[in-house]
């Protein structure tokens, strides 16, 4: 579809009067623009050091402190629990390779949004609509905001009641959004500081593990490594849920992909920062888990909930050390929330710039602080709804699973998409190496497993929730995709048919210098 001269002139005049913006027009049937946005050179503020810690802060959140208890319960043995962390590292490394290929080929902000659009070009904007529902409606930072509250309250020796926990979680996500939305450089500096700090915390936990192995403890030495695989369970459901917990602890290896338009020399940075972060994190995770098993019995760990790291310090150093570590873990959770909100704000901004969301002009803006404050606020709103609406006992596990489930579907799609492009590439697609194709096949296969098994009835030991049905997160994940599909049908198909108009996609360059798109309606009965 193309605009007549009269329609083009009308559109052009309309936009020239709107905030003195420069306007380019293209129809809804044109190809999506996969170019990097180089219109604002000063936008590139992220170097290699910050990129590494953007990944570190997203990966090292609370997973390694909060999930070992669940993983041991589901695995049944110390040996299988440790092996699960190795499997998670291999999956993360394969996933990192997939995201390196995609990020190098399409170096834009937005991550998976761009990769799905590149793969699935027809019907136009269907994938963008479906991904938009997933990106906007899932409360990525809510889980770790709640864990921040849990550990802060433990450190303050305050009972984590239903409302105190929620209010502290609310304060955590609000602080993160305001910092990143009003003071971008200070937000990055705090992220980098907390990234270094949480590595030091993990190192301290590892050292404490060696102290426990030497027998210098407040309790009797647990000797968990004597019969490491005793009690192993091998059911598919428990294995899958255990993998969810492990993968949750590695989620974040793709974090810099959401901000590649702000990275200096993005192709080089992503190839260095990703593998470096995965390698260091894997070593720290394995040693930290060994430390937990060195300092507490299986029974203590499985009943500790999300406070296993605090349990270790209590058994080795006493009650005061337990409270001190709780502060450290809370700060680690804050670093993760900062990193998550940083990336999700940019995803929402990119969706706003594509003109897909209602009120896209607002979400796509970089005003008034040269940061995606509106996109961050949208993510904040969804997190607040989840924090205050879900039952406290199931909230963390639900957030973990409902984010992991649709992400597995998306990861499978972009992984097998790399294999498809290796044999039927688009003209601008680079050649794929054999190692990257092997990584894509493995990563895609693992993600298919992760989104099929949760639909099956698990054994009692693998029940993921206290109050919710086992299938809640799987149904919720598909429901989110379904809402995106429904939005596309109503917005792009049904409404134009009923209203007798066509959609015209218009590109704008706003006062903030960013390219964005909006959709205008053009009546079918107009003529040149």
């Amino acid at each position: 579809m193309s605009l007549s001269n009269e329609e083009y002139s009308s559109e052009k005049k309309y936009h020239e009067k709107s905030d003195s913006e420069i306007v380019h027009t293209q129809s809804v049937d044109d190809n999506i623009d996969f170019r990097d946005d180089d219109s604002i050179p000063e936008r590139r503020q992220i170097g290699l050091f910050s990129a590494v810690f953007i990944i570190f802060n997203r990966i090292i959140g609370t997973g390694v402190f909060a999930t070992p208890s669940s993983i041991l319960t589901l695995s049944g043995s110390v040996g299988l629990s440790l092996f699960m962390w190795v499997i998670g590292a291999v999956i993360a490394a394969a996933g990192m390779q997939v995201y390196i290929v995609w990020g190098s080929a399409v170096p834009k902000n937005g991550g998976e949004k761009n990769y799905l659009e590149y793969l699935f070009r027809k019907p136009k904007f269907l994938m963008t609509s479906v991904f938009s529902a997933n990106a906007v409606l899932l409360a990525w930072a809510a889980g770790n905001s709640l864990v921040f509250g849990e550990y802060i309250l433990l450190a303050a020796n305050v009972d984590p009641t239903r409302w105190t926990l929620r209010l502290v979680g609310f304060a955590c996500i609000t602080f993160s959004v305001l910092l990143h939305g009003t003071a971008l450089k200070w937000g990055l500096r705090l992220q980098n500081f907390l990234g270094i700090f949480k590595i030091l915390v993990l190192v301290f936990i590892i050292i404490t593990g060696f102290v426990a192995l030497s027998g210098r403890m407040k309790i009797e030495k647990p000797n968990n490594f004597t019969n490491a695989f005793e009690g192993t369970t091998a059911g598919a459901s428990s294995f899958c849920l255990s993998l969810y917990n492990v993968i949750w602890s590695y989620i974040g290896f793709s974090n810099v992909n959401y901000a590649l338009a702000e990275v200096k020399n993005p192709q080089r940075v992503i190839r260095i920062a990703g593998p470096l972060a995965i390698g260091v994190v894997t070593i720290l995770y394995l040693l930290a888990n060994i430390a937990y098993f060195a300092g507490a019995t299986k029974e203590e760990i499985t009943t500790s909930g999300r406070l296993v790291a605090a349990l270790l310090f209590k058994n080795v150093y006493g009650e005061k050390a337990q409270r001190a570590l709780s502060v450290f873990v809370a700060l680690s959770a804050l670093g993760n929330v900062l990193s998550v909100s940083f990336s999700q704000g940019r995803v929402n901004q990119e969706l706003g710039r594509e003109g897909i969301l209602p009120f896209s002009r607002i979400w796509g803006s970089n005003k008034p602080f040269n940061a995606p404050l509106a996109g961050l606020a949208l993510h904040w709103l969804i997190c607040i709804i989840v924090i205050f609406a879900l039952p406290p006992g199931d909230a963390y596990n639900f957030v973990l699973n409902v984010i992991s489930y649709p992400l597995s579907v998306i990861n499978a799609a972009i992984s097998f998409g790399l294999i498809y492009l290796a044999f039927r590439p688009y003209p601008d697609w680079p050649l794929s190496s054999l190692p990257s194709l092997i990584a894509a096949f493995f990563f895609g296969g693992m993600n298919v497993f992760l989104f099929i098994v949760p639909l099956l009835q698990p054994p009692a030991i693998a029940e993921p929730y206290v109050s919710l049905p086992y299938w809640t997160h799987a149904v919720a994940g598909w429901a989110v995709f379904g809402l995106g599909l429904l939005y596309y049908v109503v917005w792009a198909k049904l409404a134009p048919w009923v209203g007798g108009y066509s959609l015209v996609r218009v590109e704008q360059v706003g006062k903030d210098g960013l390219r964005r798109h909006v959709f205008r309606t053009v009546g079918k009965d107009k003529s040149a």
Side-chain angles (χ1 to χ4, degrees), residues 437-505:
L437 294 180
I438 294 173
F441 183 80
F442 173 73
F443 190 58
M446 289 303 303
N447 279 283
V448 169
F449 171 81
L450 289 172
F451 72 72
I452 289 178
V453 171
L455 298 171
L456 308 176
Q457 173 74 53
I461 193 174
E463 282 287 349
Y465 307 116
V466 176
S467 306
L468 302 173
Y470 72 89
W471 41 261
T472 302
H473 62 276
V475 172
W478 286 112
V480 167
F481 287 138
L483 287 173
L485 176 61
L486 179 62
Y487 178 75
Y488 169 80
V489 170
V490 173
W491 163 71
K493 297 298 181 182
L494 185 60
W497 179 73
V498 172
Y501 62 83
S502 298
L503 288 173
V504 177
R505 188 168 183 254

Side-chain angles (χ1 to χ4, degrees), residues 136 173 178 295 317 393 420 513:
V136 172
I173 184 63
L178 289 176
Y317 302 123
Y420 172 82

Side-chain angles (χ1 to χ4, degrees), residues 372-417:
L373 178 60
L376 287 161
L378 180 58
H379 183 61
W380 172 86
L381 177 62
I382 301 299
C383 288
I384 295 308
I385 292 172
V386 169
I387 286 172
F388 284 97
L390 286 178
D394 286 331
Y396 181 79
N397 285 337
F398 177 79
V399 170
L400 182 157
N401 293 330
V402 82
I403 288 172
S404 300
Y405 188 91
L407 185 60
S408 296
V409 178
I410 292 170
N411 281 336
I414 65 173
S415 297
F416 290 119

Side-chain angles (χ1 to χ4, degrees), residues 262-331:
E262 300 171 57
V263 174
K264 304 169 186 175
N265 195 352
Q267 285 89 348
R268 173 181 175 273
V269 166
I270 194 175
R271 292 179 184 277
I272 298 174
L276 176 61
I278 289 291
V280 173
V281 165
T282 298
I283 294 170
L284 292 174
Y285 276 7
L286 286 172
L287 292 177
N289 274 275
I290 290 171
Y292 298 147
F293 294 129
T297 65
K298 287 175 60 176
E299 292 72 23
E300 285 180 312
I301 293 173
T302 54
T303 58
S304 66
R306 291 181 290 274
L307 304 176
V308 61
L311 172 65
L312 169 66
F313 270 55
K314 176 184 176 181
N315 287 349
V316 175
Y317 302 123
E319 294 279 352
K320 291 183 179 179
Q322 178 189 28
R323 293 175 63 184
L325 180 74
S326 298
V327 176
F328 298 159
V329 176
L331 290 174

Side-chain angles (χ1 to χ4, degrees), residues 345-366:
R346 279 149 182 79
V347 171
N348 290 343
Q349 183 186 51
E350 286 301 301
L351 293 171
R353 290 176 61 201
E354 289 298 331
I356 296 293
L357 301 178
F359 312 109
S360 283
R361 190 187 188 96
I362 296 174
W363 314 127
S365 174
N366 230 25

